[in-house]
Structure formats: C-alpha cells, structure tokens
Amino acid sequence: MAEYAVELRNVWKRFPGPGGEVVTAVKNVSLQIYDGEFFALLGPSGCGKTTSLRMIAGFELPSEGEIFIHGRPMGKTPPYQRPVNTVFQSYALFPHMTIGENVAFGLQMKGVDKKEITRRVAEALEMVRLSGYEKRKPKQLSGGQQQRVALARALVNRPEVLLLDEPLGALDLKLRKEMQLELKRLQREVGITFIFVTHDQEEALTMSDRIAVMEGGVALQVGTANDIYEHPNCRFVADFIGETNFLDGKVAEVDTDKARIELPGGVSLWAHTPQRVVVGQAVTVTVRPEKMHIRPNATDINQVTGYVTDIVYIGTDTHYGVVLIGGQTIRVREQNYAADSRLLAREGEEVCVRFSIEAARVLTE
Amino acid sequence: MSAKKQSPWLTLVSILVYFFLYAPIIVLIVFSFNASRTNVVFEGVVNQGPCGPFYWYCELFRNRSVMDATRNTLIIAFTSTVVSTIIGTMAALALQRYDFFGKKVSETALYFPIVTPEIVMGIGILVFFSAVFGWINTALALAPSQRLTMGLGTVIVSHIAFSIPFVTLVVRARLHGFDDRLEEAAMDLGANEFTTFRKVTLPLIAPGVLAGAMLAFTLSLDDFIITFFTTGPGATTLPIYVYGLLRRIVTPELNALSTIWVLVVLIVVAISQWFQRRE
Amino acid sequence: MIQHIRENRRLQGFLLILPAMFVMVMLLVIPLTLTVITSFGQRDADGNVIYTFTLENYWRLMGFTEQGWDDLYLRILLRSLWLAVQTTVIVILMAYPLAYFIARSPEKRRNFLLFLVLVPLWTNFVIRIYAWVMILRSQGVLNSTLGAIAGLLNVPFQPLDLYPSQTAVLIGMVYEFLPFMILPIYTSLEKIEPSLYEAAADLYANAFRTFWRVTVPLSMPGIVAGTILTFIPVIGTFVVSDILGGRQVILVGNLVQRQFLDARNPPFGAAASIILLVMTLVLTLYYTRRFGLGEEIAAG
Ligand SMILES: Nc1ncnc2c1ncn2[C@@H]1O[C@H](COP(=O)(O)OP(=O)(O)OP(=O)(O)O)[C@@H](O)[C@H]1O
Ligand SMILES: [Mg+2]
C-alpha cells in the first residue's frame, strides 16, 4: 500500500512562450500528499499552481519528473483514465445538459447501470443540498449553486483524489466563507484527499491540513498552517502569509540556536536561528506584529527604542507604527483585551518595543 | 478551443476538402492560358500577339461588354453596400438597444428575407416593379423613350433590400453583450449623445459594422438570382453576362476574368490584413 | 423637436428602425402580396395577367389538369426537396471535419485557414459552376486526368458521363454551399470553452464520447444555421441545375423561372413560387423548433 495519495517527484513543466522562448511554469517541484488530507497549493498569481494541478489531473504532462497517484506512476495516462476528478475554476458545467445529466455524466461514461446512477446522482445532489434541481439547466442556477453542482459532479464518481482550482474564486465574500466550511465538512464526510488551489492565504489557513507555498514555479515550503505561520523558512513565505516586520542587520555574535543581530543605528537584538549563520553575515529578522509589545513586559529580552508615527484603532486591536532609531519602521499590534483598554502611546511619543527571542527569526534568504 | 495535436485522419480529410474547394479555381486559372479557344481541352500555353501567354487577358480588356458589366457590378455593389450598411446598422441599434412600438413585428420582418428563397423575392420584386412601372407609364402616357424600365436603379434597390437583414444580423451579434454602462460612463464624463455615439458606441461596434458591410458587398457581387429578375437594358452585371455567355461559346477570356478577380480580392485582403497588423 | 427626440427613447428606436421597415414593406411585403394576388389570376393569350380569383394554378400544381391526373409538378417539387436534403447532408459531412480541424488549429493559423475557405466565394457564383462544367464534361479535366492515370496503370478506362446529369447538379450544389456550412459550424465550435473538453475527459469520457456528448450538441446551433443557409438557397435556385443539369434536371426554381420568362405564364409561376415559399417556411419553422434557433446565421 502506497503511503501517499499523490506524489510529485522532481516535476518540471515548460511551455513554449509567445515569442518562441521557453516559459518554465513549474520548477523541480516535489510534494507528498497524504491520503485523506486537505492539501492547499497557495501562491500569488502566475506561480504555477494551476499548472501543477493540471498535471496531476492529466491535462498537461510534466516536461520532466513523475507523478504518482497511490503509488502508481501516471506517465502519459489520459485524464479519463486517472482516478481523480477536478472542480474547475469556472465550473465547466455542460451548458446543454441539465444538472442531473451533468452529475450523471461521469457515471455514464464509466458504464454504471442506470438505477445505480439515479441513486448516486440523487445522493450527490443531496450532499451538496441541491435536491430537486435535477431538471434545471446550469444557467438557471446562481454562482454558488453552480459551484456545488460542479462539486457534486466530481464527488459522485468517488475519486481517489479531488482537485479543486480556486473553486470559490467567483463567489462573493459571504458565500465564500460559507462554502469554505461546507467544503471542509464534505471533505471530512467523504474522506477523500482534496488538493485545493488558492491565492488567498486566509482561505488556505482556514481550510487545509497542510499547505504548500509556491512562488515562481518553486514550492518554497510545505507544512501545516501553524508551521508555515510560525516557522517560515524564507522571506517570501513570511511576507506572503500574514503580516510581518522585517529588520535588516548583521550577525554580531552566535550562540547554539540564537544570534545577536546588530541593526543600523547601534541597536542590537537576539533572534532564533533555524539555519546556521556566521558572524558578519547580512541577515533579515522577522517578527510578527502581534508578538511585539509596547506595554512593559519583564520577560522579553529584546528592547528597541523608537517613535510612534501613527496609530490605527480597529476595536479588537490597536496598531502602532514605530520608526526605530536606525530608521527602520515596524508595526506593533496590541490586543485590547482589558475591560477598558486605552491607547498605550500617543503619536510622536518615544516608546520601547519589546519581544522575546523566540518571536524573532533569522531568515537567510 | 485549445490547440491540440490533430489526428492525421482529420488532417487528411481537411486537405481533401480544401482540394475540393480549390480544384475549380485552379482549373479556371490554368485554362486562362489555354491555346485553344474552346476551353475544353488544354492544348498548351497560348502565345499569340503582343501579349504572349497573356493573350486572353488582353482580349478581355478589349472586350467592351465585359468592361461594362464589371463597371455595373461594382457600382451596384458599392452603392447597395453603403446604403444597406447604414440602414441595417440603424435597425440593429434599434432592435438591440431600444424598446418601441412594433419591435416584434420588425424583428420578424427582418428575419423573413433570410429564410425566403431568393427566387421568391426576385419574382416578387419583378411583379412589383412591372406593375408600378406599367401603371406610371400608362398614367402619364410616357413616350417609349421616357418609359420607366428595369435597370441599374431597380437592381440597386433590390440589392439594398436583401442586404439589410444580413447587415442587421451581423451588427446585432456584435451589439449583443455590449455594456450599456460604457455609454452611461461617457455621458457621466460629460459627453452628449452624439459625442458618446461617435467616441464610444461606434468604435466598439465598428468591427461588426465592417463585417456587415463586407457581407453585403460579397452578397451583392455574387448575386445572380435577384439581379436576373430585376435587371434591364444597360444593367448587365458580370454574373448575368457570364450566364448569357454559357448559352453560346465560352472563350478563355472568362477564365482570365476570374483569375484577375481572385487576384484583386487576394491583394485587397492582404493589404487590409497588413494594415490591421500594423495597428 | 430635437429636445423631444432626445428625451424619448421609444421615439428614437422607432426612427432608427423606420428606414429598414420602409424598405422591407416596399420590397418584401408589397411584392409578396402582389405575388399572392397574381397567383390567383389568369393569363390572356399575350401572356398578360388578368386579375381574378381562381385556384386553378394551385390545382394544376397539385396534379389536377383538364386532361386528368398528372404528377409532373409534384415530381418536380419532390425532386427539389430530395436534392436539397442530399446536398445538405453531404455538405454537413464535408464541412464538419474541416470546421473542427480549423477550430483545433493554433490560434494564429485559424484566420488564415478560414480565409482559405472564403477565397473561392470571391470568384463568381456562375463562373464557379462553369468551372465544374469544364471539369465534369466528357472530355473535361476529370476524365482526362482519370484517363491518364488509367493509361499509366494500363487499365481500360471508360470516360465517366457526368455532364450534364443529376450528379453534376448535386456536386455543383455541394460546392456552392460548402463554405456556408463551414463558417457557422466553425463559429459554434470555436465558442466552446476548452474547459468543457477537459471536464469531459476528467469524467472519464474518451475522445470519441467527448465528441458525441459534448462537441456535437454544443455545435448544434452552427449546424442549424448552416442547414438554413444551405437548404433554402438549394431548394430555390435554378442556375446550378440549368448549367450542370442541361435540360434534364428541372427543379422548382427552373419551373418558376420558365413560367415567367419563357412560357409567359406569370400567374402559374407566381403560384409555384408561393408554394415554394410556404414549403420553405414550414420546413424552417419545424426545423428550428426541433433543433433550436440558428443564432450563428450571422456567421455566414
Ligand atoms: N499553456 C500555456 N502556455 C504558455 N504558458 C503557460 C501556459 N499555461 C500557463 N503558462 C504560464 O505558466 C505560468 C504559471 O501559470 P499557472 O496558470 O499555473 O499560474 P497560477 O498559479 O494558476 O496563477 P493564477 O492564480 O493567476 O491562476 C504563468 O507564467 C503562465 O503564463
Ligand atoms: Mg490558476
């Protein structure tokens, strides 16, 4: 028994570009996706998410590398012989068929007998809460309903893996939130591996068991939402997921898993070093705004001084913009958890910003 | 549709269909250089007179009837295209953008000529003009030389009539999906109705209008049946002239004419393509 | 006045449609009405129309004559219909693969391939048919080519006797109307979202089943439009049969034409023309009801 539902091994994809040059959409990507997992491919527009998904589905063949589904190498297997189904970005519902016919299509192609088809179509539509819509045409449904039909049409075939390419992209915010929960519920119910493409980091964080962050055709980091947020392995990932501060400086002193970094203006701070660094190396330190405090706090070792430039009060939190002595700006987020929270500083006031060693991470790339 | 590898069978069938489309054209061109006048068997390349292999081309330009017919055909095509494009575009705008009394009826009326066999329309117009002209001629007791007869005028008017529905159809297709908000935006930015039409609406529907005009022009150039019933003395068009020739003996002049025709069209299209590329 | 037009959109629409409607009334409604009136008339000895009300012309078309039953005209009607059906079917069978081929070609090449379909249309209708005379006649291009091939292979060759004949008429009709089928089918094929093919493949349909379940149904509007653009002209033309059929192949179009110009019997010709019109309208209506409206007529 193969341990992975889907595995990409050193997969490359190159396209001929418009001017005869080569566009490399996917560069040496290796991924292992576990059975029953909700896996997200996350990245900005044009980073190669769709291309990766299409290679798993079989619409594109890798230029190099191999894709395995439950341990079976896919090679040049055409899409209609792969045990996966796709929910398309624009849904791709057949406009000339009714909802019922759309959902039944895959089963008919597999030669499932009529009675069974009727039963399973009804079941699938019930699962996406669209019972009674069998006779309608796709045009007569709302965007969200069409989206659910696309889902039913794929799930009714009981694929080993379901591929979803930004399936919620066309929906408005409220519906999107609803469908996120709905999808998550469905995935738990059917227990099928979902591979989900999105460029919305919040969506990826809410829904997935694990996330692969892609950029420029490369899979930068793979891990759980918590992993990626708390332990980003590069500047791009730290920046793309959530909000963060970057402080550029030089390594001044190295300890086992931490180092003292000197910032311009003579300020220095201690930060956690996941990778080995050497004295004198130029590095970036990342600190999440919510892990920094203006409030006095006895345990934090790092203390930097600066002036408050702006204050944004948003109810749950207050955001302070602070310019440090060396000229770098940071943002600090203070939670207003007290019963009667007041501002902790005024604009122009000198403040001392504190944070722990663990909150500061040294990034080498 | 995306470009995928084509199956070799499909490619083969397509080449055969293209061959079928071009075989007659090739035959026409080859025989325009025939040494024999009869156009039946190819007896080698003609080499006669000052024009040598282009003997039939020179003959053609000396043939007054052909030149007259060409001129008539072009006059008819140009005039009817301009008029039918304007009227047809107006109708398309009306049907697609406005609500008015008699809209449904107008819509049906404009569909009707498309599904009416040409011969029925031709006969109808013939009956109509002979009745009207007969009536006017007797009512005014016109002398034979002043009598109204079929001619260029009747042909042009008929061509306008059968082209309008096609222009309307093509322009409507273009207007379909036209965003009304664009016009509202223009007006919001201070353009009046006329400026809005000139600066926003017209440029957006221009490709449709152009396509409609092209269609009208082609239909007119190629029309035989309606012209046949509405033409008269002095209004012989090329198709009518050629049809008349077929009953007698056809010489390779006719082939020379078609060859020039195809070449001119190819050049015109090539130039227009080149201009479009440059833009 | 101007202000009034500016504010009244209904009036604007009405003014825009007015010229078109004027032309349609003058050159369609009135002429057709006159044709109907004429078809109830009689002719005098000189071929002038006497306006009365008699159904005689229609009875004669149905086969009732003073000399008894004669299905001459009915046979002409049926022959025209049958020829139109044959032409349409053959044209669809030839046009579809080519349209499909063009639609699946790289985008940059498509316009050129379509252009190639249009070029023959730019020569003249009558000349194109004449070219087929040159090809098909007994000493023509086809027979001499086949003869030469037979000579090379040393097999006996009997020249084909194709011109004039019904087959020649069919070939000519197919040739004339092929482009009018290719264009609308191409247009509807090109409109199909590529993701629909992928969806079909994703749902286990192979190329063959995708074609029948997705491609063909979605290109139906193109086929319908092409059929209307082919069937109607074929059933009403007299030129192709005149030139390629000699005097042997008489269609409704030839009948109408001859009644007006040779036999000088306009009332009878008018009746035949009205029958032709009714037949076409009924068939078109039935056909579009059955298969949906051909929105792609525009493409032709
Ligand atoms: N068929 C193709 N031919 C040429 N280049 C392509 C093709 N498909 C994708 N590309 C290129 O590959 C790169 C990755 O494209 P892809 O569609 O995978 O991006 P994506 O991450 O899905 O982006 P988005 O979020 O915008 O959908 C892009 O630069 C794109 O232009
Ligand atoms: Mg994408």
Side-chain angles (χ1 to χ4, degrees), chain B residues 146-277:
Chain B
Q146 296 169 309
R147 278 188 192 149
L148 294 174
T149 55
M150 305 291 238
L152 268 188
T154 44
V155 177
I156 291 174
V157 166
S158 318
H159 280 215
I160 290 172
F162 78 69
S163 299
I164 289 175
F166 286 96
V167 174
T168 307
L169 206 63
V170 173
V171 178
R172 274 188 84 175
R174 176 83 198 180
L175 276 171
H176 189 82
F178 182 94
D179 192 347
D180 284 346
R181 279 170 308 181
L182 292 177
E183 289 189 334
E184 286 168 12
M187 299 217 200
D188 182 66
L189 296 170
N192 64 22
E193 287 89 342
F194 180 70
T195 317
T196 302
F197 182 77
R198 207 163 47 90
K199 297 251 170 179
V200 177
T201 319
L202 199 57
L204 283 171
I205 64 170
V209 175
L210 204 69
M214 291 277 285
L215 182 60
F217 195 74
T218 322
L219 287 174
S220 171
L221 276 190
D222 212 33
D223 181 70
F224 177 80
I225 296 180
I226 289 191
T227 316
F228 182 80
F229 287 109
T230 53
T231 191
T236 303
T237 63
L238 273 177
I240 303 288
Y241 174 73
V242 173
Y243 185 70
L245 270 190
L246 291 185
R247 320 215 136 196
R248 286 173 274 135
I249 180 159
V250 184
T251 62
E253 274 172 45
L254 192 63
N255 301 54
L257 177 68
S258 341
T259 307
I260 295 178
W261 198 260
V262 173
L263 278 180
V264 168
V265 168
L266 284 180
I267 290 168
V268 169
V269 174
I271 291 175
S272 73
Q273 285 283 318
W274 187 71
F275 267 107
Q276 276 180 9
R277 280 277 156 77

Side-chain angles (χ1 to χ4, degrees), chain A residues 165-233:
Chain A
D165 190 358
E166 306 212 14
L168 309 180
L171 306 180
D172 65 46
L173 192 65
K174 187 158 173 288
L175 201 54
R176 218 180 145 113
K177 298 258 176 225
E178 265 173 48
M179 283 305 299
Q180 287 175 1
L181 299 178
E182 184 91 6
L183 267 179
K184 190 79 200 152
R185 169 185 74 82
L186 271 174
Q187 197 258 342
R188 256 186 243 118
E189 225 172 271
V190 295
I192 292 173
T193 314
F194 275 34
I195 305 180
F196 184 95
V197 162
T198 179
H199 62 246
D200 179 343
Q201 46 118 350
E202 198 183 320
E203 193 165 279
L205 294 178
T206 339
M207 301 172 71
S208 347
D209 299 321
R210 285 195 312 144
I211 299 169
V213 183
M214 287 188 74
E215 216 276 307
V218 179
L220 294 174
Q221 187 172 6
V222 184
T224 62
N226 182 267
D227 250 358
I228 287 181
Y229 188 81
E230 300 292 345
H231 313 293
N233 66 0

